[in-house]
Amino acid sequence: MSPTGAEVIRKIRSQVEEVDPSEVREHLGNGVVLVDVRESEEWDAGHIPGAKHVPRGYLESRIEGAVADRDQRVVVYCASGQRSALAANTLREQLGYGNVASMNGGITLWKDRGYDVEVPKSLTKEQRERYSRHLLVPEIGLEGQTKLLEAKVLLLGAGGLGSPTALYLAAAGVGTLGIVDDDEVDLSNLQRQVIHTTDRIGVPKVDSAEESIKAINPGVDVRKYQVRLYASNIMEIIEGYDVIVDGVDNFPTRYLLNDATVRLGIPVVSASILGFDGQLSVFAPHEGPCYRCLYPVPPPADMAPSCGANGVLGVLPGTMGLLQATEVIKLVTGAGEPLIGRLLLYEALGATFTELKVRRDPECAICSKDPSEISDDELGVFPDYEAFCAAAG
Ligand SMILES: [Zn+2]
């Protein structure tokens, strides 16, 4: 006769190491990873600070993302200690985790003891529904969505790259979107700048972008800067933003942006496109290389869209802009591995992605310095730009 469910659970519990909440509390942060295996709604109602959330139903597929090292001490908890015992057993017997325990009594006993519980901020009913597909992804969830709603992201350019980036970041619920663009919508933009429409030709791009953003998500706070970036205004515009999305098409602004963001410690998600080729990287000041580490002098002339009008496949900025939006969401939520120290090259005709490692240059003119030593006079200065553009013809 098959054993009953209760018998199986009893047997498993007798084989799993169980620890008391007081012991868990004592070792929190000391090389112990605490994993909450409850459902998302339970996690959202309150969890142990510092715990990682891997619902039991996702244990096999997600645990490696939360605990990469199988020799790591892992303590699993649930509401009462039953589901966590089963999860601990799965981790040990089927997934090869060697040092796993289940917290006795679960978070219920933890709370009874008066220990700290963290309750994430709640969303409105409308927000819960709007972002429900994010809430279902464990890497984002309520915590990640809250971070997105509180995030301030600045888009440089509401053009080919900025259009898809702005639309998707607005849809994703980024709370504040700043847009810097001094241009007006032109008929020749519409082949790729999908945030603008035919009836808005002649309208400032910042106004057109705001209209589209608000139509998708009225909750987004749009801040418009209908200016060009100069050394004289860049610091006051970018200060206070969490992430900057670089979709500018000229090298002087790229260098200026790099220097100012290194000084302020703001990460930049940078992309460029030409013809059928795109490139993408994340420049996180002092954590990875900066734009100048990659290009101490401007790149070769054939990658220099700033020297005049160049052709581009209309969908290419869509592809690259959405990769940028993805990196922004990762930086804001802390999910995954951002593209720091890596340059991603996309070649549309061959349908190939290539990744190159980029290292910090210890001699870098900007990021090798202490941020406070980067002077106003140095911002955006780089060698021989005039000569370089002339050579590009
Ligand atoms: Zn550098």
Side-chain angles (χ1 to χ4, degrees):
M1 208 174 83
S2 298
T4 65
E7 280 164 358
V8 171
I9 290 168
R10 211 175 305 127
K11 182 158 181 258
I12 287 174
R13 288 192 74 160
S14 72
Q15 293 165 351
V16 166
E17 181 194 345
E18 294 191 328
V19 290
D20 188 80
S22 61
E23 205 181 315
V24 175
R25 185 163 172 258
E26 199 178 313
H27 297 294
L28 261 191
N30 289 335
V32 177
V33 180
L34 192 57
V35 177
D36 186 323
V37 294
R38 297 174 303 156
E39 304 299 312
S40 292
E41 310 82 71
E42 297 177 277
W43 164 269
D44 293 345
H47 53 261
I48 300 178
K52 296 192 175 185
H53 184 215
V54 185
R56 195 177 157 226
Y58 291 97
L59 196 62
E60 290 83 352
S61 55
R62 311 248 189 228
I63 189 65
E64 281 163 34
V67 189
D69 178 4
R70 286 179 154 72
D71 295 323
Q72 171 87 48
R73 172 69 167 167
V74 180
V75 175
V76 190
Y77 77 90
C78 61
S80 68
Q82 183 159 305
R83 279 175 287 169
S84 61
L86 301 177
N89 187 59
T90 305
L91 286 174
R92 203 186 56 189
E93 298 300 323
Q94 284 167 33
L95 295 163
Y97 286 81
N99 191 356
V100 187
S102 163
M103 189 174 85
N104 210 4
I107 196 167
T108 311
L109 182 56
W110 175 277
K111 280 196 244 175
D112 285 349
R113 299 265 175 85
Y115 301 158
D116 268 0
V117 172
E118 186 175 294
V119 183
K121 283 193 187 143
S122 60
L123 303 180
T124 64
K125 193 166 171 288
E126 195 267 349
Q127 286 173 323
R128 282 200 164 269
E129 194 166 339
R130 180 182 284 274
Y131 305 119
S132 59
R133 296 303 186 275
H134 267 170
L135 301 178
L136 290 168
V137 183
E139 286 82 352
I140 298 182
L142 179 61
E143 204 176 328
Q145 189 62 51
T146 306
K147 287 179 183 166
L148 286 169
L149 290 165
E150 286 170 354
K152 296 191 174 89
V153 176
L154 182 66
L155 303 166
L156 299 191
L161 291 162
S163 288
T165 316
L167 291 173
Y168 271 87
L169 290 179
V174 167
T176 304
L177 280 177
I179 303 169
V180 182
D181 201 311
D182 71 330
D183 214 357
E184 291 171 356
V185 179
D186 183 86
L187 180 59
S188 69
N189 299 150
L190 300 177
Q191 164 250 23
R192 63 200 175 283
Q193 302 183 14
V194 295
I195 204 166
H196 309 301
T197 55
T198 306
D199 63 347
R200 291 187 216 141
I201 289 171
V203 171
K205 285 187 179 177
V206 288
D207 294 335
S208 167
E210 181 186 37
E211 202 174 324
S212 297
I213 288 170
K214 290 285 186 189
I216 291 178
N217 191 345
V220 178
D221 177 13
V222 179
R223 301 196 182 158
K224 300 181 283 182
Y225 307 89
Q226 199 185 343
V227 293
R228 290 186 80 84
L229 283 181
Y230 296 105
S232 57
N233 65 4
I234 189 165
M235 297 303 282
E236 62 177 299
I237 290 174
I238 70 173
E239 193 156 24
Y241 281 97
D242 303 310
V243 183
I244 295 179
V245 183
D246 174 11
V248 301
D249 58 0
N250 67 85
F251 289 109
T253 312
R254 284 234 149 108
Y255 282 93
L256 176 64
L257 172 70
N258 178 70
D259 304 348
T261 50
V262 169
R263 193 155 112 176
L264 292 174
I266 305 172
V268 176
V269 180
S270 179
S272 62
I273 46 168
L274 193 66
F276 293 89
D277 296 308
Q279 23 178 289
L280 178 80
S281 195
V282 173
F283 300 107
H286 305 112
E287 208 178 309
C290 78
Y291 186 75
R292 280 187 192 263
C293 295
L294 177 61
Y295 297 118
V297 293
D302 60 359
M303 277 303 286
S306 52
C307 295
N310 283 278
V312 66
L313 180 70
V315 296
L316 184 68
T319 307
M320 301 312 292
L322 290 189
L323 288 170
Q324 283 183 295
T326 310
E327 291 305 307
V328 170
I329 290 174
K330 284 161 62 186
L331 287 171
V332 169
T333 60
E337 290 298 324
L339 203 62
I340 297 170
R342 298 184 284 154
L343 180 68
L344 187 70
L345 308 175
Y346 172 58
E347 202 273 297
L349 285 181
T352 55
F353 281 95
T354 311
E355 191 184 300
L356 304 175
K357 282 254 173 301
V358 186
R359 292 199 166 75
R360 270 187 86 180
D361 176 3
E363 308 282 298
C364 175
I366 293 294
C367 80
S368 69
K369 286 186 187 161
D370 188 276
S372 63
E373 285 169 17
I374 302 169
S375 69
D376 285 352
D377 299 343
E378 280 173 287
L379 293 182
V381 176
F382 61 94
D384 267 352
Y385 187 71
E386 300 289 329
F388 153 80
C389 253

